[in-house]
Amino acid sequence: MAAAAGEEQQLLAQRLKAAVHYTVGCLCEEVEEDKDVQFSKQIIAAISDITFRQCEIFAKDLEMFARHAKRTTITTEDVKLLARRSNSLLKYITQKSEELASSNMEQKEKKKKKSSTAKGERIPGEQEAAVTENEDSNMT
C-alpha cells in the first residue's frame, strides 16, 4: 500500500517537472523572439531544474510560515512574507491580493442582494423608499 502511494507521488512529481520544463521552454522561446538570443536545450533543462527546486523550497517555507502561526491553511500573508525580499514582487502580490479582496466583497454584496430580494426582504435604502412611497400615497 505504502509502495503504491510512493510510486504515485513520484509519478505526480515527474508530471509536475515536465509541466515546469514545458513552461520554461515556452518562456525561453518568447525571450528568444524578443531579445534575439538562443537558449540551448541544456540551459532550458537547467533553468527548469532550478525553478522546480526553488518552488519546492517556497512550498516548504509557506508550510512552515502557516505552521508557525498555528494554522493549517496558507494565506496571502504567508505568500507576502515569502516575497518580502523582492520589493517589486511584494508590491505586485499585495496589489493582486487587494484586487481579489475587493472583487470578493463585491460578489458577496451581489449575493446578499440577490438572496434578500429572492426572500422578499428589502435592503435598508429600499425600505426607506417604500416608507416614503406609502406616506406619499396616504397624503393624497
Side-chain angles (χ1 to χ4, degrees), residues 49-95:
D49 188 50
I50 291 167
T51 302
F52 190 81
R53 287 184 192 181
Q54 192 63 47
C55 287
E56 286 180 318
I57 292 167
F58 288 164
K60 288 176 184 173
D61 286 349
L62 288 169
E63 185 179 356
M64 290 298 143
F65 294 158
R67 188 177 296 163
H68 179 75
K70 296 177 177 42
R71 289 184 277 107
T72 56
T73 304
I74 294 170
T75 66
T76 55
E77 294 306 312
D78 297 324
V79 177
K80 289 178 188 176
L81 183 61
L82 182 71
R84 71 192 178 280
R85 290 191 179 109
S86 172
N87 288 333
S88 59
L89 181 59
L90 180 58
K91 185 178 177 180
Y92 180 80
I93 289 171
T94 302
Q95 177 188 357

Side-chain angles (χ1 to χ4, degrees), residues 2-58:
E7 198 173 298
E8 185 176 331
Q9 197 167 15
Q10 268 188 331
L11 185 63
L12 289 173
Q14 286 176 341
R15 289 180 62 197
L16 189 55
K17 281 183 182 180
V20 169
H21 184 80
Y22 174 77
T23 303
V24 167
C26 292
L27 291 171
C28 287
E29 284 178 11
E30 287 180 26
V31 171
E32 286 176 344
E33 292 172 8
D34 289 346
K35 305 293 181 186
D36 197 32
V37 293
Q38 293 289 319
F39 291 94
S40 68
K41 290 182 179 182
Q42 293 83 7
I43 292 297
I44 293 172
I47 294 170
S48 299
D49 188 50
I50 291 167
T51 302
F52 190 81
R53 287 184 192 181
Q54 192 63 47
C55 287
E56 286 180 318
I57 292 167
F58 288 164

